[in-house]
Amino acid sequence: ATGLGGVYSLLASLKQLGIDKKGLTIAIQGFGNVGHYIATFLEKEGFKIVALSDSKGGIYIPNGIESIDQISKFKEAKGYLAGCYCVGSVCDISKRTELGGQDISPSELLELPVDILIPAALENVITAENADNVKAKIVLEMANGPTTSEADEVLHQKNITVIPDILANSGGVAVSYFEWYQNLHEEHWSREDVFTKLKDKMDKSVGEVFEAQKEHGTTLREAAYILALQRI
């Protein structure tokens, strides 16, 4: 639910920004429950995922990773994704040269020349020390608090759009609410119903945050805080 909500928030944000998703490249730091699922859903939406990392290392394939499913099976078997370069059903570090791939660290992934950067692992990974090296034009925060306040200011000065964590990764909380609601009212919604309701909620929330940003001349993070305070 968190990963899917992140995809919905990204798609809605791209629409607000007037950006076509076709051909956009993505790097994802973190390949746990959130990173794995957002990668899977983004692949289905046609995005080009070029880099992935977990705590043990990562891979970078400029031409795009062929199959997230193959990466997932490799990690499940090995316990890590470093060295996972897949050609067909064969995944091994020996295929790295053939794919033009490169081994990278989680910190190096943050500075890759991609369109969209998704920190989906730890907090405070984008800092005053590395923010100036971020080349992505959009940062989708799927981890909790991945950007420090100092880094936030640097990214803002570089005109990098940060879709804040309290908006981007709120899908998990939203679907938990849906579960609570169903239990309380003795209802049972289908998977499709839940996905539709989640998309509607994420689309509405993104629209409201962008509207608040324009009204107050702030960042998206500050706009989200303003909305939250108004509702309280």
Side-chain angles (χ1 to χ4, degrees), residues 27-48:
I28 304 173
Q29 186 195 61
F31 202 64
N33 277 337
V34 176
H36 163 242
Y37 281 108
I38 196 166
T40 299
F41 289 123
L42 286 170
E43 182 181 56
K44 289 178 181 177
E45 287 290 337
F47 289 92
K48 182 189 287 188

Side-chain angles (χ1 to χ4, degrees), residues 126-203:
I126 303 177
T127 66
E129 285 69 41
N130 64 8
D132 202 44
N133 297 325
V134 172
K135 299 176 182 65
K137 289 301 178 186
I138 297 173
V139 175
L140 180 70
E141 294 187 333
M142 294 305 294
N144 293 322
T147 309
T148 67
S149 57
E150 295 83 5
D152 229 10
E153 182 59 31
V154 174
L155 298 179
H156 179 57
Q157 290 172 359
K158 293 181 65 176
N159 293 317
I160 294 173
T161 299
V162 178
I163 305 171
D165 51 359
I166 60 170
L167 175 62
N169 69 22
S170 60
V173 177
V175 173
S176 291
Y177 162 73
F178 294 160
E179 292 175 352
W180 172 83
Y181 184 95
Q182 289 173 81
N183 290 335
L184 191 66
H185 294 84
E186 297 183 358
E187 296 179 10
H188 187 274
W189 303 345
S190 69
R191 179 186 181 93
E192 292 71 26
D193 284 342
V194 172
F195 282 11
T196 298
K197 291 178 189 295
L198 176 60
K199 184 178 186 303
D200 290 345
K201 186 170 284 291
M202 297 304 295
D203 286 352

